[in-house]
Amino acid sequence: MEKLLDVGFIVKSFPVIAAQLPVTLAIAIGSMALGLLIGLLTALIKIYKIPVLKQISACYVSFVRGTPLLVQIYLVFYGIPKLIYFCQTEYGWLQGLDVNVIAPEFYALLSFSVNLGAYLSETIRSAIESVDRGQFEAAKAIGMSPASMMMKIILPQAWVVAIPNLGNVLISTIKDTSLVFIIGVIDVMGQAKILGSRGLAFFEVYIAVSLIYWIVCILIEALLVRVEKRARRYEGSAAS
C-alpha cells in the first residue's frame, strides 16, 4: 500500500536542500543591498526633480512595477548576452568577455537588484518625505551641504521609518528567489526539484523546502524586530 507521506524522505532531503541556502541568501541579501543603492538614487532624483533623469526614473519604476519578475529575469538572462555580443561585433568593446562563462547567479543578482531598486525607491522616497521639513530648513540654516544634510540628518531618521517596509521586502525577496532555478541557479528550490525528480517524491521535498523558507523567514523577522527596537531606542535618545 502506498504511503501518503514519506517522512523519512523529508528528513533525509532536508539537509541536502538546506545546503543550498547560502545561494538563496546571497542572491536575496546581495540584491537587497544593490537595490537599496539603486532605490536611493532613484528616490533622490524624484525628490530633487532632476530634469530628464526624473522622466527616465519614472519610466523605469513604471516598467518594473508593471511587468512580472519572471519576465524581468528572462529579459536580463537573454538580454545581457545579446548586448555584450552586439558591443563586441559592432564596436569592438568587451572583446575579452566570454558570455558563456558568466555564472547564472550574476543574472539572478542583477535582475533582482533592478526589480528591488524600483520598489525600494518608493519606500525610501516616502520615508525621506516623512521627515519633518523643519529638519531640512535647520540644516540649510547652519550651512550644511545637501549631501551632508542627507547623510547626517535626513537618512538616519528616514531609516527608522523605512525599516518595517524594508524587512517585508527582504522576506518577499527570499521567497521570490525560488524563481531563479528557471535560469539554472541551484538554490534551495532548485535542489528540491532535483531531489523530487530523482525520487519521484515531489510532495515530500516541497514540504521540506517550505519548512526551510518558513524557518528562515521567522529568523529574519526576529532579527528585524531587534533592529527596529534598537533603531527606535537611539531615535528616542536623540530626541530627548
Side-chain angles (χ1 to χ4, degrees), residues 132-148:
D132 185 7
R133 297 301 302 179
Q135 301 283 337
F136 290 84
E137 300 301 327
K140 290 179 181 178
I142 61 176
M144 295 184 71
S145 66
S148 180

